[in-house]
């Protein structure tokens, strides 16, 4: 059976993940499972005021979240499918039920051709792409750090400079005491400090993707072929 994209990148270290994380990050075409997480964000936060315009612009394409809040219900949908270029893809679509209007943060992950990292395409049109480097921590949790970011639109393919980019760090663990996954996301600019983040917890359910399929609106409007 073809391993999931996370198992491929992590190799033997994948087996050091907490068993619940192993199942969650085994979601793929071979497993035939989709995972839906439902829970509560304890906090969604922003950095200093100057970042707000960037978050608002990003929010128009479901990149980042231009609102702050506490105790915000949310859903994360991880559904595998083959994209229009034949690559196995797993959605990481987060919906935050903020007062007045829900906000989405869309990402689709594929295995890099080098098979040593994950490509994270962001937003409804995949204009932004980031390298992701996952690592298993001693306590069985998963730490994911972003690497290079690129902006792609038509013939344009440029590296996002550090002055305006953000380094993301994602920590996901499983709390045996509560039976819930815990998630913490933090995006920091190397020059200006913290930009955006959220932290909370959720429970997960699994479904046969061959039966449930990929619901309308979950896939991006435009798919990017360049790795």
């Amino acid at each position: 059976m073809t391993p999931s994209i996370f198992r491929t990148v992590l190799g033997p270290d994948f087996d050091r993940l907490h068993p619940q994380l192993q199942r969650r990050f085994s979601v793929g075409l071979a497993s035939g499972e989709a995972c839906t997480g439902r829970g509560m964000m304890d906090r969604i936060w922003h950095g200093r005021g100057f970042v707000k315009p960037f978050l608002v612009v990003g929010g128009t394409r479901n990149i980042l979240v231009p609102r702050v809040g506490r105790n915000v219900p949310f859903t994360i949908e991880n559904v595998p499918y083959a994209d229009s270029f034949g690559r196995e893809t797993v959605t990481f679509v987060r919906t935050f039920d903020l007062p007045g209007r829900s906000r989405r943060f869309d990402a689709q992950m594929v295995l890099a051709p080098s098979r040593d990292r994950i490509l994270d395409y962001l937003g409804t049109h995949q204009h932004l792409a980031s390298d992701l480097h996952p690592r298993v921590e001693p306590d069985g949790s998963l730490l994911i750090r972003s690497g290079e970011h690129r902006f792609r639109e038509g013939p344009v393919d440029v590296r996002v400079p550090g002055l305006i980019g953000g380094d993301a760090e994602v920590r996901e663990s499983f709390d045996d005491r509560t039976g819930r996954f815990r998630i913490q996301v933090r995006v920091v600019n190397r020059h200006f400090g913290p930009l955006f983040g959220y932290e909370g917890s959720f429970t997960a359910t699994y479904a046969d993707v061959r039966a449930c399929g990929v619901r309308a609106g979950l896939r991006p409007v435009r798919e990017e072929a360049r790795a």
Side-chain angles (χ1 to χ4, degrees), residues 191-210:
H191 301 278
F192 302 112
L195 301 179
F196 163 82
Y198 54 81
E199 55 191 74
S201 66
F202 61 94
T203 58
T205 57
Y206 298 88
D208 184 342
V209 73
R210 290 159 293 192

Side-chain angles (χ1 to χ4, degrees), residues 108-175:
Q108 296 83 33
M109 297 188 187
V110 305
L111 184 65
S114 60
R115 302 177 69 83
D116 63 348
R117 57 192 167 88
I118 292 167
L119 297 177
D120 190 25
Y121 293 105
L122 302 177
T124 56
H125 290 66
Q126 297 191 345
H127 285 133
L128 288 176
S130 298
D131 291 341
L132 297 184
H133 303 280
R135 185 179 79 195
V136 181
E137 297 287 83
D139 63 355
S141 62
L142 182 66
L143 172 65
I144 304 172
R145 287 196 172 105
S146 65
E148 184 177 272
H149 310 287
R150 301 195 68 83
F151 175 81
R152 295 179 170 118
E153 169 62 21
V156 176
D157 182 0
V158 296
R159 182 179 178 273
V160 177
L163 183 65
I164 62 173
D167 296 322
E169 184 176 276
V170 180
R171 293 180 182 270
E172 190 163 322
S173 60
F174 188 81
D175 187 335

